[in-house]
Amino acid sequence: MTDVGPGQSPRGHRSVPHTGDLRVEAWAPTREECIVEAARGMVGSFAEVPPDVSWAARECAVSGDDDGRLLAAVLEEIIYRMDVADELPVDVAVAPEPGGVRVRFRMADSSTATQIGAVPKAVALHGLRLARDAHGWACRVTLDV
């Protein structure tokens, strides 16, 4: 799924052009770190947040029927918080818990960010994937912008 191999970073993300939407691919040694990379890739595709911005801690439990749906649920939580609270994650941490994951956000006011791309409105379920591969975990997600 990703072109990660010997000599490349064990974790990361990239945006891939996709007709009328945005596709993010991410990879990491663990499922939870891969979800974090996907979240960073999503936010980094449309916003630059100053490193010294003030933030507030937020936390929630997220579940999904399978790993792909779990990834979608975490990204949808970010989109929801942007829509209803005008908050944008400066950092994300994901830890496993029974039935899903615990997500810890450092959220900044959206007005502190510089918009550099189209803001995602939803996560598409078509082509959604989060799975173990030869190098750890990798995911692919398409975002409606």
Side-chain angles (χ1 to χ4, degrees):
M1 170 159 39
T2 61
D3 296 328
V4 178
Q8 293 188 0
S9 174
R11 68 179 41 82
H13 58 267
R14 64 179 167 220
S15 298
V16 180
H18 192 264
T19 308
D21 295 316
L22 169 68
R23 178 170 285 164
V24 173
E25 294 179 351
W27 58 93
T30 69
R31 179 184 75 159
E32 291 74 22
E33 291 171 311
C34 192
I35 293 170
V36 167
E37 286 298 326
R40 288 177 178 157
M42 180 180 83
V43 173
S45 74
F46 71 90
E48 288 181 352
V49 181
D52 60 347
V53 69
S54 61
W55 52 270
R58 306 281 188 253
E59 186 174 322
C60 64
V62 177
S63 62
D65 294 337
D66 58 37
D67 289 332
R69 300 270 179 155
L70 182 63
L71 169 63
V74 171
L75 299 180
E76 287 170 350
E77 181 69 22
I78 293 170
I79 292 168
Y80 171 78
R81 289 175 184 266
M82 288 186 319
D83 286 345
V84 301
D86 289 326
E87 293 180 327
L88 189 63
V90 178
D91 195 21
V92 179
V94 177
E97 74 172 31
V101 294
R102 169 108 359 227
V103 184
R104 291 177 181 87
F105 298 106
R106 284 199 245 167
M107 301 296 272
D109 188 295
S110 294
S111 68
T112 62
T114 301
Q115 187 173 340
I116 59 170
V119 179
K121 301 297 181 201
V123 177
L125 297 181
H126 178 74
L128 178 65
R129 184 168 189 274
L130 171 61
R132 185 182 301 272
D133 70 9
H135 306 287
W137 284 79
C139 68
R140 176 181 54 234
V141 60
T142 302
L143 304 164
D144 298 330
V145 294

